[in-house]
Amino acid sequence: MARDKYQTLTEQMFYILICLTQESCGVDIMKKVEELTNGRVIIGPGTLYSLLDNFVKENIIIETKIENRKKNYVITSVGIEMLEKEYIRVTKLKNDYEMLIKGGVQ
Amino acid sequence: MKDKTKRIMNFRFDRYEDLENKLEKQAAKGLFLEECGSLLWTFKKGNPKKLKYTVTYFSEGSVFNPDITDNQQTYFDYAKAAGWNFVTQFNQMQIFCSEADNPIPFETDEKEKFNNIKRCMKKSFIPSIIVMILVFVLNLIVQFNSFQLNPIDYLSDPIRLLSSSMIAAAVIYQVYSLVTYFLWLKRSEKSIALGGECVNNSRIMYRIVDIIFMVFLFGSLGYLLFYLALKTSRFGLVLSIAQVPILMIVFWSSIKYLRKKKASATVNKLISYTVLILASFAYLALLMAFIMRFGFGISNESNYRTVDWQLSETESHEYRLYSDEIPLTSEDLYGRIDYNYYSYEKETDKTLFLSKSVYRQDSPPAKDAPPRIEYETLEPQFEFVYLLAKEHLLEIPEWRDNTTFEPIDNKIFDTVEAYQRYYENTPTGEYILFFGDRIITLNMEEPLTTKQISIVKEKLQI
C-alpha cells in the first residue's frame, strides 16, 4: 500500500475524487471539474488518464462498467477516507489562518 | 500520391519538445504529419495552417500492436474531449494535434507527466539504446582484436579505419543520448520537487551536437560508398556494410505485414524476431558463400588474366595473373627468365596513419616454378605507428623457437636498423629494413648476394 504519495491531494486529484462520489466516465469528469471550478481547475487528458489509472491501481476508485466503450468509475471507501482527510487538513489550514493571521491582526 | 511527401526526420525519442516545434513549423509550411517511421516520416501536403502538436508517451503503445488497444482508445477519447486529435504513433510515442489557439494542455500535472515519461523510457528508449551500445561495442572489440593481430593491415586500410570510426562515433552518440536523458531526468526531478515543471529539453547545444553527428555519419557513409563504387569493386565489402540496413528492412517489413494481418502483439514479436535471427544467419551464409566464391573483390585498377591451372590429374584451380608495374622484378635480380605464367601484382593502401605498398611476383604452384619475390614498403606518418609496425614485424610467435631475427650491418642497406630472419641458424632471404621514415621488408627465396643487394638498393631507391 504505497499511498504515501497521496498524503496530500493536488487540486486535480481532489476534484476528480469529488466527481467520483457519483459514478461517471473520464470525459464527464473533465467537463464537471471545469464547471465546478468555473474553469479554475483544468485537467489535461494525459494527466486524467494517468491519475485514473493510478487511482484504480491503489484501489482509491474502481471501474464499474463499460458503456459505449466508455469506462465508468466510482470512489471506494479508501477514496472517501482520503477526501475526508484532505477536508480535515484544509480545514485545519483555514482555521489556523483565521486564528493566526486574521485573529492576530485584530 | 503527389499530395504526400516523405521526409527524413532525425528525432530523439525522448525529446518531445523538439519534435513538437518541428511539426508545428512543418504545418505552418503546409506539411501535415500522417505517419512516422524510424527515419522516413510521411507528410500530407495542404494549405499552411497554425497547428499545435503535442507528443506524449503511452506505456501500452507498441509497434507490434495490431490495433489500437482499448485503454489507448480511452486515452484518445479523453484527448478528443479536450480538443486534441490523434495523428499517429510510434512505439509508445503518441502524437496529437489541435487547431485551437489555446488548447487545454495535454498534461496539467508535471509530476504525473514526469513519472509517465520515466516509466515509458524505461520500457523502450533505454533498453534499445543499451542494446545498440552493446552491439556496437562488440563490433569495436572485434575491430580492436584485428588491429592487435595486425596493426599494419588495419592502420593502412581506409575502409576499416572509417567504419571503425563510424561505429565509435555511434557509440559515443548513444552514450551521449543516455547521459543527456539522465541529466534531464535529474534536473526535472529537482525542478518538480520545488513545484516547477519538467525542464526544457530542446536546447541549441543539443541540436548542434545532433547536426555534427549526422553530418559526420552521412558524410562518412557517402565517402565509403563513393570509395567502394569508384575505386574498387569490393562487392564483398558492400554486402557486409549493407547488412544492418537490409536486416532492419526485413525486420520492419515482417512487423508491418503481421500487423496488417492482425496478428496479436505477442505473435508478431515472436515471428518478427525469429525472422530477424533467421535472416541474419541467412545473410551471413550468403556473405560467406560470396566471399569464398569471389573474394572481397579486387581493385579496379589492376589488370589481370585468369588461367585454369591443373594441380593434379583430377584437380584444377583458377589463378589470376596480374600484370601491374612493379619497381623490382625477379628478372632484375636473377637475369632473364622466360616464363608465361608470372603474375606481377601491386597493392597500395594509404590512410592518414600509414601508406603501405605490397609488390609480389609469383606464379601458380609447379615443379619448375621460377623464383618468387615479395616486398613491402611502409611509410608511417606518426612515430607511434612506426613503433607499432616495427614491433609487429619483429614479432615471432612463442611456439616458433626455430626461427629468429638477427641484426645485420647497417652499412649494407644504409639503414638505421636492419634484420635478417634465420631459420635453425641458417640465414634466409627475409629482411626487415628500418629507415628514418620508412620500413621495407624483403621476402626472397634465398639470401641476397652483394650484387643483388645493390640492384635492390637501386630499384627501390634506397
Side-chain angles (χ1 to χ4, degrees):
Chain A
M1 292 288 268
R3 219 169 317 124
D4 279 358
K5 56 180 171 183
Y6 300 125
Q7 278 282 322
T8 57
L9 299 176
T10 63
E11 280 187 81
Q12 299 181 56
M13 292 174 186
F14 185 77
Y15 282 107
I16 290 176
L17 291 182
I18 292 267
C19 288
L20 284 178
T21 48
Q22 281 175 359
E23 186 181 337
S24 26
C25 70
V27 174
D28 290 344
I29 297 172
M30 242 162 49
K31 287 183 183 146
K32 253 199 243 173
V33 171
E34 201 178 341
E35 271 170 32
L36 276 176
T37 62
N38 283 326
R40 191 178 59 82
V41 176
I42 285 173
I43 306 174
T47 303
L48 178 71
Y49 186 89
S50 0
L51 285 177
L52 289 177
D53 198 38
N54 289 340
F55 283 167
V56 170
K57 276 184 196 144
E58 301 281 345
N59 199 29
I60 295 165
I61 60 171
I62 46 163
E63 215 181 291
T64 51
K65 60 178 182 239
I66 300 174
E67 236 176 18
N68 299 332
R69 262 187 10 206
K70 280 180 188 165
K71 280 183 195 164
N72 282 270
Y73 303 91
V74 75
I75 196 163
T76 64
S77 55
V78 179
I80 297 274
E81 206 180 294
M82 282 172 65
L83 269 179
E84 190 76 30
K85 257 192 191 163
E86 186 65 15
Y87 168 72
I88 293 167
R89 192 183 69 87
V90 179
T91 313
K92 199 171 176 311
L93 289 183
K94 175 180 163 266
N95 290 343
D96 284 351
Y97 182 83
E98 281 175 355
M99 199 177 77
L100 296 168
I101 308 293
K102 285 196 172 166
V105 171
Q106 284 165 1
Chain B
M1 288 299 278
K2 258 217 152 168
D3 59 335
K4 283 184 191 174
T5 169
K6 294 220 182 232
R7 293 280 155 105
I8 289 182
M9 288 283 277
N10 167 34
F11 76 105
R12 265 258 312 264
F13 195 72
D14 59 326
R15 298 244 177 94
Y16 54 93
E17 277 167 328
D18 257 353
L19 201 48
E20 287 164 4
N21 294 339
K22 262 186 200 172
L23 292 173
E24 277 161 24
K25 268 186 204 158
Q26 298 285 12
K29 281 190 223 159
L31 291 174
F32 306 98
L33 176 67
E34 219 175 53
E35 210 190 329
C36 36
S38 40
L39 190 66
L40 276 181
W41 291 36
T42 315
F43 288 86
K44 202 179 162 139
K45 287 182 192 164
N47 293 325
K49 230 190 265 179
K50 212 178 148 204
L51 280 187
K52 277 260 174 213
Y53 277 92
T54 194
V55 175
T56 66
Y57 306 94
F58 189 72
S59 67
E60 261 182 38
S62 159
V63 280
F64 297 106
N65 287 344
D67 270 317
I68 285 161
T69 62
D70 286 346
N71 285 337
Q72 209 171 3
Q73 189 55 55
T74 308
Y75 189 64
F76 293 174
D77 289 341
Y78 295 171
K80 184 104 196 158
W84 290 102
N85 295 314
F86 173 67
V87 181
T88 184
Q89 56 175 336
F90 185 75
N91 241 340
Q92 294 157 319
M93 190 170 80
Q94 314 284 314
I95 303 177
F96 295 88
C97 77
S98 168
E99 293 195 30
D101 271 341
N102 250 332
I104 295 175
F106 209 89
E107 303 281 352
T108 43
D109 184 319
E110 288 296 314
K111 201 170 175 185
E112 290 296 329
K113 173 181 168 181
F114 174 78
N115 286 336
N116 180 46
I117 293 177
K118 203 168 140 184
R119 195 168 49 228
C120 290
M121 294 302 156
K122 230 186 224 168
K123 216 173 144 188
S124 64
F125 174 70
I126 295 174
S128 70
I129 286 202
I130 290 177
V131 166
M132 267 199 272
I133 291 178
L134 285 180
V135 169
F136 287 145
V137 165
L138 207 71
N139 200 310
L140 279 185
I141 291 173
V142 173
Q143 303 260 17
F144 183 71
N145 193 29
S146 90
F147 163 77
Q148 275 190 319
L149 281 175
N150 194 337
I152 296 176
D153 280 358
Y154 186 85
L155 289 174
S156 63
D157 187 343
I159 300 288
R160 262 152 79 182
L161 276 184
L162 197 66
S163 58
S164 302
S165 58
M166 275 165 74
I167 295 169
V171 171
I172 292 169
Y173 186 77
Q174 302 292 355
V175 171
Y176 156 84
S177 301
L178 267 191
V179 169
T180 48
Y181 167 69
F182 280 114
L183 277 178
W184 175 83
L185 214 58
K186 233 182 163 121
R187 281 203 204 109
S188 295
E189 199 162 26
K190 220 173 175 178
S191 153
I192 289 166
L194 295 169
E197 300 178 344
C198 291
V199 295
N200 189 332
N201 64 3
S202 152
R203 292 174 173 221
I204 285 274
M205 248 322 275
Y206 290 166
R207 232 168 297 159
I208 293 172
V209 173
D210 282 358
I211 290 171
I212 292 174
F213 175 72
M214 290 309 269
V215 166
F216 175 76
L217 200 70
F218 280 103
S220 313
L221 204 67
Y223 176 79
L224 212 64
L225 291 177
F226 165 82
Y227 187 91
L228 289 173
L230 290 183
K231 296 271 178 185
T232 59
S233 52
R234 299 201 207 174
F235 294 117
L237 260 175
V238 175
L239 274 181
S240 58
I241 287 168
Q243 185 177 4
V244 174
I246 287 177
L247 289 178
M248 279 334 281
I249 290 170
V250 169
F251 186 52
W252 277 107
S253 310
S254 158
I255 293 174
K256 273 193 182 161
Y257 176 78
L258 289 167
R259 211 162 48 190
K260 222 179 233 170
K261 291 273 163 199
K262 303 282 176 209
S264 76
T266 324
V267 170
N268 192 330
K269 214 181 261 183
L270 202 73
I271 296 183
S272 296
Y273 275 110
T274 313
V275 165
L276 179 66
I277 292 166
L278 290 179
S280 318
F281 280 116
Y283 198 93
L284 210 63
L286 179 90
L287 195 67
M288 287 302 200
F290 186 90
I291 291 170
M292 267 152 78
R293 175 79 182 80
F294 301 104
F296 265 113
I298 37 88
S299 169
N300 273 345
E301 287 153 12
S302 281
N303 36 34
Y304 63 88
R305 65 192 165 105
T306 48
V307 287
D308 224 2
W309 199 258
Q310 209 68 33
L311 291 171
S312 70
E313 276 183 24
T314 51
E315 243 185 305
S316 75
H317 192 272
E318 205 173 74
Y319 280 93
R320 279 192 184 134
L321 302 181
Y322 296 87
S323 45
D324 297 333
E325 282 284 331
I326 63 174
L328 173 73
T329 61
S330 292
E331 290 85 342
D332 293 332
L333 288 177
Y334 307 110
R336 211 180 119 95
I337 302 169
D338 271 328
Y339 196 70
N340 278 335
Y341 301 103
Y342 247 145
S343 166
Y344 303 82
E345 192 182 351
K346 178 179 110 179
E347 274 174 68
T348 50
D349 261 326
K350 190 174 166 49
T351 68
L352 188 72
F353 296 102
L354 177 68
S355 21
K356 181 180 88 167
S357 309
V358 182
Y359 306 96
R360 200 177 295 121
Q361 182 177 353
D362 59 0
S363 55
K367 266 182 199 156
D368 58 343
R372 82 186 284 283
I373 62 169
E374 185 175 337
Y375 48 100
E376 194 174 303
T377 8
L378 300 174
E379 282 169 62
Q381 302 300 316
F382 300 98
E383 182 69 20
F384 79 94
V385 180
Y386 188 100
L387 294 175
L388 271 173
K390 184 176 169 186
E391 196 187 337
H392 177 72
L393 288 171
L394 290 175
E395 198 175 52
I396 291 172
E398 268 174 37
W399 48 271
R400 294 210 56 181
D401 51 7
N402 48 7
T403 176
T404 51
F405 280 112
E406 299 294 334
I408 56 169
D409 193 345
N410 282 325
K411 279 185 198 135
I412 303 176
F413 285 100
D414 297 322
T415 49
V416 176
E417 229 178 313
Y419 295 88
Q420 184 171 15
R421 192 196 268 274
Y422 275 65
Y423 184 74
E424 287 179 343
N425 298 324
T426 321
T428 69
E430 212 176 305
Y431 300 83
I432 306 177
L433 314 173
F434 296 98
F435 301 92
D437 54 354
R438 63 176 173 155
I439 303 171
I440 295 179
T441 66
L442 303 171
N443 199 342
M444 314 296 173
E445 283 183 353
E446 295 287 326
L448 295 167
T449 62
T450 320
K451 196 182 158 204
Q452 285 167 338
I453 287 173
S454 62
I455 296 170
V456 170
K457 280 166 79 176
E458 184 203 323
K459 295 284 178 187
L460 298 185
Q461 293 163 2
I462 295 173

